[in-house]
Amino acid sequence: MNFLANKVAVVTGAARGIGAATAARLAADGAAVAVLDLNEGDVEGAVGELVKGGATAAGFPCDVSDSAAVEKTFEAIRTQLGPVGVLVNNAGVLRDNLLFKMSEDDWETVMGVHLRGSFLCAREAQKSMVDQRWGKIVNLSSSSALGARGQANYSAAKAGIQAFTKTLAIELGPFNINVNAVAPGFIETAMTRATAERIGVPFDEVKESSLHEIPMRRIGQPEDVAAVISFLCSDDASYVAGQTVYVTGGPAS
């Protein structure tokens, strides 16, 4: 399918995991993809994989929590690829800790990347979308938005993303811009593997334990999330706005 032909899609945190799978899926849907991530080497590697697969893609190292960097990056995207039609706010970090151990830096870093980053990128992307009277914004929330031990910062940020999504849907809907959120559960990525390593539990044990809590009895893959994002960016979802879709292998709890 090429329903995003002649569209430019921006994916933040696109060098690995859900972001990389999303960039690949949107490229398969016909979009020219702008790959944003923090590390220049990671960005170049991700772009190389997309181009090798026949996609049109360009990389832009960017700290999404830095206003000047985001503004400069989106200007470069518009110059190099064209006006932005799709934005996937996927960039994220973890700084897990129990409240009494959590530092102010742990809190500010997570809020900066998830909430401030989504705000800054959406503010830039909507400029082209309003002019075109067409756009798709998908924000990455998480099942942790419902509460998760040791994730006061991350849970608060991901819950905030859902409210942010609803508000943007109200504001941007009159311009034919759909804004939605996707909330993954346990997805097998480098980030979830690193979390297991940090708490000293073998990743295979974490996966095995999680299987008993997932009705589908399998661990989610980045491509599972990318498929839902692709749907929300398609015309089939043209009347879907302000929603959060949980991708958890079962009902959100």
Side-chain angles (χ1 to χ4, degrees):
M1 296 181 67
N2 288 300
F3 58 82
L4 291 180
N6 302 316
K7 303 295 185 184
V8 174
V10 177
V11 183
T12 70
R16 60 176 62 84
I18 292 171
T22 298
R25 179 60 185 258
L26 297 183
D29 293 335
V33 181
V35 173
L36 273 62
D37 216 304
L38 198 56
N39 182 276
E40 184 172 2
D42 292 340
V43 168
E44 290 176 355
V47 170
E49 288 298 313
L50 290 171
V51 172
K52 187 165 61 177
T56 298
F60 304 87
C62 180
D63 177 357
V64 298
S65 67
D66 183 325
S67 178
V70 169
E71 185 175 351
K72 180 179 179 181
T73 296
F74 273 79
E75 182 178 346
I77 293 169
R78 288 189 289 268
T79 299
Q80 191 167 338
L81 295 177
V84 176
V86 174
L87 169 65
V88 180
N89 278 315
N90 169 74
V93 295
L94 291 175
R95 293 291 186 274
D96 294 355
N97 228 326
L98 294 174
L99 180 61
F100 76 99
K101 293 181 180 180
M102 187 173 289
S103 68
E104 291 181 23
D105 184 64
D106 291 336
W107 180 270
E108 295 297 340
T109 297
V110 170
M111 291 296 169
V113 174
H114 292 272
L115 278 175
R116 179 179 170 85
S118 295
F119 155 66
L120 292 174
C121 290
R123 189 174 64 176
E124 284 299 314
Q126 61 86 33
K127 295 176 181 178
S128 296
M129 295 176 182
V130 168
D131 287 343
Q132 298 171 104
R133 291 300 193 272
W134 187 93
K136 308 287 184 179
I137 298 176
V138 181
N139 300 314
L140 268 291
S141 181
S142 167
S143 60
S144 292
L146 302 173
R149 179 179 172 82
Q151 291 192 317
N153 49 4
Y154 187 76
S155 295
K158 290 305 192 182
I161 287 290
Q162 297 189 21
F164 177 66
T165 296
K166 289 180 181 292
T167 301
L168 291 196
I170 294 168
E171 292 186 7
L172 299 178
F175 300 98
N176 195 34
I177 300 169
N178 299 78
V179 187
N180 291 287
V182 173
F186 183 27
I187 306 297
E188 186 171 359
T189 65
M191 181 179 284
T192 52
R193 183 177 294 274
T195 299
E197 292 175 355
R198 188 165 56 248
I199 62 176
V201 179
F203 192 48
D204 286 343
E205 288 186 17
V206 174
K207 291 196 294 181
E208 184 63 29
S209 175
S210 298
L211 280 175
H212 300 295
E213 301 175 7
I214 300 172
M216 295 299 296
R217 294 296 188 266
R218 72 174 178 88
I219 302 300
Q221 299 299 312
E223 291 75 16
D224 293 316
V225 184
V228 177
I229 293 172
S230 171
F231 165 70
L232 291 173
C233 293
S234 74
D235 287 339
D236 287 340
S238 64
Y239 204 56
V240 180
Q243 303 303 307
T244 297
V245 181
Y246 281 84
V247 186
T248 58
S253 59

